[in-house]
mmCIF file of all heavy atoms in Angstrom:
data_model
loop_
_atom_site.group_PDB
_atom_site.id
_atom_site.type_symbol
_atom_site.label_atom_id
_atom_site.label_comp_id
_atom_site.label_asym_id
_atom_site.label_seq_id
_atom_site.Cartn_x
_atom_site.Cartn_y
_atom_site.Cartn_z
ATOM 1 N N GLY A 1535 39.856 -63.464 49.513
ATOM 2 C CA GLY A 1535 39.079 -64.695 49.640
ATOM 3 C C GLY A 1535 39.687 -65.796 48.803
ATOM 4 O O GLY A 1535 40.663 -65.570 48.064
ATOM 5 N N ASP A 1536 39.090 -66.991 48.897
ATOM 6 C CA ASP A 1536 39.562 -68.125 48.093
ATOM 7 C C ASP A 1536 39.522 -67.810 46.607
ATOM 8 O O ASP A 1536 40.252 -68.400 45.827
ATOM 9 C CB ASP A 1536 38.663 -69.345 48.336
ATOM 10 C CG ASP A 1536 39.051 -70.072 49.609
ATOM 11 O OD1 ASP A 1536 40.259 -70.129 49.905
ATOM 12 O OD2 ASP A 1536 38.142 -70.559 50.307
ATOM 13 N N HIS A 1537 38.628 -66.908 46.230
ATOM 14 C CA HIS A 1537 38.441 -66.611 44.808
ATOM 15 C C HIS A 1537 39.525 -65.706 44.237
ATOM 16 O O HIS A 1537 39.572 -65.489 43.034
ATOM 17 C CB HIS A 1537 37.059 -65.988 44.584
ATOM 18 C CG HIS A 1537 36.863 -64.690 45.328
ATOM 19 N ND1 HIS A 1537 36.839 -64.611 46.692
ATOM 20 C CD2 HIS A 1537 36.704 -63.423 44.871
ATOM 21 C CE1 HIS A 1537 36.667 -63.356 47.062
ATOM 22 N NE2 HIS A 1537 36.586 -62.607 45.972
ATOM 23 N N ASN A 1538 40.392 -65.143 45.119
ATOM 24 C CA ASN A 1538 41.398 -64.224 44.560
ATOM 25 C C ASN A 1538 42.738 -64.236 45.271
ATOM 26 O O ASN A 1538 43.596 -63.397 44.983
ATOM 27 C CB ASN A 1538 40.852 -62.792 44.508
ATOM 28 C CG ASN A 1538 40.451 -62.280 45.898
ATOM 29 O OD1 ASN A 1538 40.887 -62.807 46.914
ATOM 30 N ND2 ASN A 1538 39.613 -61.258 45.914
ATOM 31 N N HIS A 1539 42.960 -65.174 46.176
ATOM 32 C CA HIS A 1539 44.178 -65.087 46.991
ATOM 33 C C HIS A 1539 44.655 -66.477 47.401
ATOM 34 O O HIS A 1539 43.858 -67.319 47.807
ATOM 35 C CB HIS A 1539 43.858 -64.272 48.252
ATOM 36 C CG HIS A 1539 45.054 -63.856 49.057
ATOM 37 N ND1 HIS A 1539 45.589 -64.636 50.045
ATOM 38 C CD2 HIS A 1539 45.801 -62.731 49.027
ATOM 39 C CE1 HIS A 1539 46.628 -63.997 50.605
ATOM 40 N NE2 HIS A 1539 46.769 -62.838 49.996
ATOM 41 N N LEU A 1540 45.945 -66.688 47.273
ATOM 42 C CA LEU A 1540 46.545 -67.966 47.648
ATOM 43 C C LEU A 1540 47.963 -67.693 48.137
ATOM 44 O O LEU A 1540 48.656 -66.838 47.583
ATOM 45 C CB LEU A 1540 46.567 -68.892 46.423
ATOM 46 C CG LEU A 1540 47.114 -70.303 46.594
ATOM 47 C CD1 LEU A 1540 46.194 -71.140 47.486
ATOM 48 C CD2 LEU A 1540 47.232 -70.997 45.224
ATOM 49 N N THR A 1541 48.374 -68.420 49.184
ATOM 50 C CA THR A 1541 49.726 -68.245 49.732
ATOM 51 C C THR A 1541 50.518 -69.537 49.574
ATOM 52 O O THR A 1541 50.014 -70.616 49.918
ATOM 53 C CB THR A 1541 49.650 -67.874 51.228
ATOM 54 O OG1 THR A 1541 48.919 -66.659 51.366
ATOM 55 C CG2 THR A 1541 51.041 -67.678 51.826
ATOM 56 N N THR A 1542 51.718 -69.439 49.030
ATOM 57 C CA THR A 1542 52.624 -70.589 48.972
ATOM 58 C C THR A 1542 54.035 -70.111 49.302
ATOM 59 O O THR A 1542 54.258 -68.921 49.510
ATOM 60 C CB THR A 1542 52.642 -71.267 47.582
ATOM 61 O OG1 THR A 1542 53.279 -70.393 46.643
ATOM 62 C CG2 THR A 1542 51.250 -71.630 47.101
ATOM 63 N N LEU A 1543 54.969 -71.065 49.338
ATOM 64 C CA LEU A 1543 56.345 -70.689 49.658
ATOM 65 C C LEU A 1543 57.323 -71.255 48.630
ATOM 66 O O LEU A 1543 57.021 -72.214 47.924
ATOM 67 C CB LEU A 1543 56.723 -71.150 51.066
ATOM 68 C CG LEU A 1543 56.605 -72.636 51.410
ATOM 69 C CD1 LEU A 1543 57.788 -73.439 50.889
ATOM 70 C CD2 LEU A 1543 56.533 -72.802 52.923
ATOM 71 N N THR A 1544 58.469 -70.624 48.565
ATOM 72 C CA THR A 1544 59.592 -71.121 47.768
ATOM 73 C C THR A 1544 60.820 -71.115 48.663
ATOM 74 O O THR A 1544 61.046 -70.155 49.395
ATOM 75 C CB THR A 1544 59.826 -70.216 46.541
ATOM 76 O OG1 THR A 1544 58.715 -70.335 45.650
ATOM 77 C CG2 THR A 1544 61.100 -70.623 45.797
ATOM 78 N N PHE A 1545 61.574 -72.203 48.614
ATOM 79 C CA PHE A 1545 62.821 -72.255 49.387
ATOM 80 C C PHE A 1545 63.929 -71.557 48.611
ATOM 81 O O PHE A 1545 64.240 -71.951 47.481
ATOM 82 C CB PHE A 1545 63.226 -73.701 49.669
ATOM 83 C CG PHE A 1545 62.207 -74.444 50.474
ATOM 84 C CD1 PHE A 1545 61.666 -75.637 50.012
ATOM 85 C CD2 PHE A 1545 61.763 -73.941 51.691
ATOM 86 C CE1 PHE A 1545 60.715 -76.316 50.760
ATOM 87 C CE2 PHE A 1545 60.816 -74.621 52.444
ATOM 88 C CZ PHE A 1545 60.289 -75.814 51.977
ATOM 89 N N TRP A 1546 64.494 -70.549 49.213
ATOM 90 C CA TRP A 1546 65.539 -69.789 48.523
ATOM 91 C C TRP A 1546 66.231 -68.890 49.543
ATOM 92 O O TRP A 1546 65.573 -68.236 50.347
ATOM 93 C CB TRP A 1546 64.906 -68.937 47.410
ATOM 94 C CG TRP A 1546 65.817 -67.939 46.753
ATOM 95 C CD1 TRP A 1546 65.756 -66.573 46.868
ATOM 96 C CD2 TRP A 1546 66.905 -68.203 45.866
ATOM 97 N NE1 TRP A 1546 66.733 -65.996 46.103
ATOM 98 C CE2 TRP A 1546 67.463 -66.967 45.477
ATOM 99 C CE3 TRP A 1546 67.474 -69.389 45.367
ATOM 100 C CZ2 TRP A 1546 68.556 -66.870 44.617
ATOM 101 C CZ3 TRP A 1546 68.560 -69.279 44.499
ATOM 102 C CH2 TRP A 1546 69.088 -68.034 44.131
ATOM 103 N N ASP A 1547 67.544 -68.866 49.490
ATOM 104 C CA ASP A 1547 68.296 -67.956 50.340
ATOM 105 C C ASP A 1547 68.491 -66.659 49.575
ATOM 106 O O ASP A 1547 69.210 -66.618 48.573
ATOM 107 C CB ASP A 1547 69.635 -68.579 50.726
ATOM 108 C CG ASP A 1547 69.430 -69.815 51.580
ATOM 109 O OD1 ASP A 1547 68.849 -69.686 52.658
ATOM 110 O OD2 ASP A 1547 69.807 -70.929 51.137
ATOM 111 N N MET A 1548 67.825 -65.624 50.044
ATOM 112 C CA MET A 1548 67.863 -64.311 49.378
ATOM 113 C C MET A 1548 69.290 -63.878 49.102
ATOM 114 O O MET A 1548 70.156 -63.983 49.962
ATOM 115 C CB MET A 1548 67.239 -63.256 50.300
ATOM 116 C CG MET A 1548 65.758 -63.120 50.238
ATOM 117 S SD MET A 1548 65.148 -62.198 48.819
ATOM 118 C CE MET A 1548 65.668 -60.529 49.209
ATOM 119 N N ARG A 1549 69.511 -63.356 47.897
ATOM 120 C CA ARG A 1549 70.832 -62.826 47.552
ATOM 121 C C ARG A 1549 70.866 -61.298 47.642
ATOM 122 O O ARG A 1549 71.912 -60.707 47.543
ATOM 123 C CB ARG A 1549 71.211 -63.242 46.125
ATOM 124 C CG ARG A 1549 71.130 -64.731 45.821
ATOM 125 C CD ARG A 1549 72.019 -65.545 46.727
ATOM 126 N NE ARG A 1549 72.445 -66.796 46.102
ATOM 127 C CZ ARG A 1549 71.899 -67.983 46.291
ATOM 128 N NH1 ARG A 1549 70.872 -68.105 47.114
ATOM 129 N NH2 ARG A 1549 72.362 -69.062 45.682
#
Side-chain angles (χ1 to χ4, degrees):
Chain A
D1536 279 324
H1537 61 295
N1538 59 20
H1539 192 271
L1540 182 68
T1541 300
T1542 70
L1543 57 80
T1544 293
F1545 299 125
W1546 171 250
D1547 295 299
M1548 275 282 290
R1549 307 301 207 262

